[in-house]
């Protein structure tokens, strides 16, 4: 369908390359944040490892913001966040997604673990096990 309806466009000559340092910094920020959130239940939320990962997330995220504010062709133009509706919507979606993850994790934590294997034990009608001892 794309071949039929989408027109071929000229490449913008002003755009020279990707913001590779921005990609690296953003990827690092997201990795550190996700690693901290994944490992925090194991380490503990107040553990130095968890706090270290969260601190590293802030440092690398700040480096990303500084890079994006000073580069000629940013990966994420920060001027977009001057729009109050866009900024408020972004914050709201982040809060809702973290709340959804928290609720889902809480539900999984309280559900019993079930085996995928079928229960092969069979009991007699009176509740006794039909397995007989091999002793004489």
């Amino acid at each position: 369908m794309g071949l039929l309806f989408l027109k071929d466009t000229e490449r913008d000559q002003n755009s020279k390359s990707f913001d590779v340092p921005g990609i690296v910094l953003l990827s690092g920020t997201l990795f550190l944040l996700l690693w901290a959130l994944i490992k925090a239940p194991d380490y503990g939320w107040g553990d130095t490892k968890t706090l270290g990962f969260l601190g590293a997330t802030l440092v690398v995220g700040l480096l990303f913001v500084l890079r994006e504010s000073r580069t000629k062709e940013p990966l994420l133009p920060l001027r977009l966040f001057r729009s109050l509706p866009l900024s408020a919507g972004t914050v709201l979606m982040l809060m809702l997604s973290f709340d959804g993850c928290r609720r889902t994790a809480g539900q999984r934590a309280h559900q019993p673990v079930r085996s995928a294997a079928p229960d092969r034990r069979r009991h007699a009608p009176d509740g006794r096990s039909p397995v007989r001892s091999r002793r004489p």
Side-chain angles (χ1 to χ4, degrees):
M1 296 301 291
L3 292 173
L4 295 174
F5 294 106
L6 298 176
K7 296 178 184 176
D8 191 22
T9 59
E10 295 287 325
R11 184 169 183 234
D12 184 12
Q13 298 303 325
N14 294 334
S15 178
K16 301 291 183 205
S17 67
F18 290 111
D19 180 20
V20 176
I23 293 170
V24 170
L25 289 170
L26 181 60
S27 298
T29 301
L30 294 175
F31 171 79
L32 289 166
L33 176 63
L34 289 174
W35 190 258
L37 293 174
I38 289 169
K39 288 297 189 177
D42 295 335
Y43 296 147
W45 286 97
D47 188 71
T48 55
K49 291 178 187 177
T50 302
L51 297 175
F53 281 117
L54 291 173
T57 299
L58 290 174
V59 170
V60 178
L62 180 62
L63 290 173
F64 171 74
V65 170
L66 290 174
R67 164 73 187 171
E68 296 303 293
S69 65
R70 294 185 177 155
T71 189
K72 191 181 287 188
E73 294 185 28
L75 178 68
L76 178 66
L78 299 177
R79 68 178 180 277
L80 293 175
F81 294 101
R82 291 182 187 157
S83 165
L84 183 62
L86 176 69
S87 297
T90 302
V91 169
L92 180 63
M93 290 305 294
L94 282 171
M95 290 172 58
L96 289 174
S97 65
F98 279 119
D99 184 57
C101 291
R102 181 188 60 81
R103 288 175 186 253
T104 303
Q107 288 173 355
R108 274 194 236 128
H110 298 296
Q111 290 178 350
V113 177
R114 296 175 193 217
S115 172
D119 187 9
R120 301 207 184 276
R121 295 175 293 166
R122 291 189 172 74
H123 294 282
D126 61 355
R128 293 181 295 134
S129 175
V131 179
R132 294 183 184 167
S133 173
R134 295 186 178 204
R135 290 186 219 160

